[in-house]
Amino acid sequence: MELMSGAQMLVRTLEDLGVDRLFGYPGGAVLDIYDALLASKKIKHILARHEQGAAHMADGYARVSGKVGCALVTSGPGATNTVTAIATAYMDSIPMVVITGQVISPLIGSDAFQEVDTVGITRPIVKHSFLCQNALDIPKYLREAFYLASTGRPGPVVVDVPKDCVRPTDKFEYPPMGEIKMRTYNPTKLGHRGQVKRAAKMLAEARRPVMMVGGGVILGNASSRVRDLAHRFNLPVTATLMGLGAFPSTDRQFLGMLGMHGTFEANEAMDKCDLVLAIGVRFDDRVTNDVSKFCPAAKIIHIDVDPTSISKTITADIPIVGEADSVLGQFNEAISELQLSCNTEDLEKWWSQINVWRQKKCLAYKKDKNLCQPQEVIEAVYKATGGKAIIATDVGQHQMFTALYYPFDNPRQFLTSGGLGTMGYGFPAAVGAKVAKPDEEVCLITGDGSFQMNIQELSTCFEFNIPVKIFILDNHTLGMVRQWQKLFYGGRISSTNLNYNPDFVALAKAYGHEAILVEKPSELDDAVKKALSMKDKLVIVDVLCNTDAKVMPMQQPKGGMADMFLAEEN
């Protein structure tokens, strides 16, 4: 019989669950846990410099590895500092478990030092929150937390651990691992066979179909199924921001991203199609524009593992609840059983129309020999990495430029905050990605505003030798906010200028890293190549960019999918 303290059981449970990397920041309420962690030979702890950074690292780790990311923080401000990161993971359905310290049980509710109601605070932004009542709750709740986080529609789970539950003097018998069963939680895996058959028949009969893929395809490991079905039926494919990489962006059938900053051909195809096969998407407002004008001639087939997402925003003509990979497997069976084939003649006409829209070349832009355009920075990084790098971004213009100008061919290659739009996400997420995939090239594309929100993690990278490459599109402004002020506020610029940025090159060196300043387009390619050649070093490439550059195309507010502003030269 093996006797353990609550802290030791917590560490052992994480080991049993396969956790090999734990991101965190210590404090009084979790000191016993950190002390027990010293004895672990399986878990490497990555000390972040801020709890938000630790949780974003766990998020990035989860996105590229497919495993559950895990973070450990103390009570009170330690827990509240993770709230933005938890909400980020919740909005993007990322499997993550955050373990928070809590004051001793008798003091809960007394406004004790560093006490907050962590369960109450996080309840709207998690799949579930657990509050341990005793030491033996710890292994039970952690096992359930990891199961909840990784099944059905993935998401973050919080486990709040009072300090008296982890006292080293109190020993208990460690309960062995067993099958996790939760009576009230049974996510649907397979779709309704009748609905799948109806949908397959509707797809075969469609004259102007479009396949729309979202983050659920990537999270559900269904990318290969999507590719096979798209090629089998010669379907035009578009992706949400979170779905980029689910279908190869360099494939001739890919129309580009759709939505607010989607391509002209993708949004036109959505507007004029007669069928949308939507897989793993939420139909959020950045995709639909005015829902009353969304795809007016189209029938909607919606496949999603989360039944609450179906018909929440856009009414589905054929709703199918189930895991994307399993449901698409059922599609293949139905297609074979019903001996279905695509509508070749009509599809040829449809592709001819799409190719006319493509001739618009909506992503064309003007270059300036004296000033770097943001688009050419993305293109330079793409060229130098061969399109193979894992790319993380923050939020703003650089995020949209990356989505449009760096073609992603593989799932789990693109990390960005889609639902919450979290500035400060990109850098720690890139750190987590590099920890998960140390042999892969990991690049952060960020803005001078976003990068400064979690810049302290440069210290983490130095301590643990995490050599991410950082490309700052430095335009001395909050670019996307400025763009809206220019377009919709009469050009009045209010509090978006960043004229007092630090010297990023000097700052990088102060943290022990390398850095390169790029002032002209002629310097760009060499700087990118030089940065990437320093394999074992973190390198910042600070690129001075055009302050007035705009992300185009852009949908017109309150319009349909095809109501768009295009670049002035188009």
Side-chain angles (χ1 to χ4, degrees), residues 43-123:
I43 300 174
K44 180 178 180 180
H45 180 266
I46 307 295
L47 175 63
R49 296 314 191 258
H50 192 284
E51 291 89 354
Q52 181 184 352
H56 283 321
M57 289 176 195
D59 175 308
Y61 179 92
R63 293 195 198 214
V64 301
S65 69
K67 298 170 65 177
V68 177
C70 192
L72 170 63
V73 301
T74 194
S75 64
T80 58
N81 280 344
T82 67
V83 168
T84 296
I86 292 170
T88 300
Y90 181 73
M91 291 290 281
D92 291 343
S93 304
I94 305 304
M96 184 170 78
V97 171
V98 178
I99 303 167
T100 58
Q102 184 55 276
V103 300
I104 61 173
S105 300
L107 292 182
I108 291 176
S110 69
D111 294 331
F113 176 67
Q114 290 196 330
E115 182 204 355
V116 295
D117 179 6
T118 302
V119 169
I121 289 170
T122 60
R123 185 173 284 119

Side-chain angles (χ1 to χ4, degrees), residues 73 127 289 337 351 374 417 472 494 565-566:
V73 301
K127 283 190 75 173
N289 209 356
E337 181 183 336
W351 273 111
S417 172
I472 304 174
S494 177
F565 298 117
L566 299 177

Side-chain angles (χ1 to χ4, degrees), residues 38-211:
L38 288 173
S40 177
K41 296 180 180 178
K42 296 181 179 179
I43 300 174
K44 180 178 180 180
H45 180 266
I46 307 295
L47 175 63
R49 296 314 191 258
H50 192 284
E51 291 89 354
Q52 181 184 352
H56 283 321
M57 289 176 195
D59 175 308
Y61 179 92
R63 293 195 198 214
V64 301
S65 69
K67 298 170 65 177
V68 177
C70 192
L72 170 63
V73 301
T74 194
S75 64
T80 58
N81 280 344
T82 67
V83 168
T84 296
I86 292 170
T88 300
Y90 181 73
M91 291 290 281
D92 291 343
S93 304
I94 305 304
M96 184 170 78
V97 171
V98 178
I99 303 167
T100 58
Q102 184 55 276
V103 300
I104 61 173
S105 300
L107 292 182
I108 291 176
S110 69
D111 294 331
F113 176 67
Q114 290 196 330
E115 182 204 355
V116 295
D117 179 6
T118 302
V119 169
I121 289 170
T122 60
R123 185 173 284 119
I125 53 170
V126 293
K127 283 190 75 173
H128 194 71
S129 293
F130 293 95
L131 173 62
C132 297
Q133 305 290 328
N134 55 66
L136 288 173
D137 281 345
I138 294 172
K140 171 180 167 57
Y141 289 166
L142 278 177
R143 291 163 186 169
E144 291 179 355
F146 272 71
Y147 176 67
L148 282 168
S150 59
T151 56
R153 178 179 176 177
V157 179
V158 165
V159 181
D160 201 31
V161 184
K163 189 171 183 179
D164 54 310
C165 293
V166 292
R167 275 195 294 247
T169 54
D170 299 340
K171 304 283 187 178
F172 305 88
E173 184 178 352
Y174 179 65
M177 286 280 287
E179 184 181 357
I180 305 296
K181 290 184 178 179
M182 302 180 71
R183 188 164 49 88
T184 59
Y185 178 72
N186 295 292
T188 302
K189 295 185 177 182
L190 291 174
H192 186 281
R193 289 188 63 194
Q195 294 289 77
V196 171
K197 286 184 178 181
R198 282 183 60 212
K201 192 170 183 294
M202 184 180 286
L203 179 64
E205 294 172 350
R207 300 173 64 188
R208 301 184 307 280
V210 174
M211 178 187 281

Side-chain angles (χ1 to χ4, degrees), residues 28 38 97 160 217 234 264 309 425:
L38 288 173
V97 171
D160 201 31
V217 172
N234 194 24
F264 180 74
S309 290
Y425 166 81

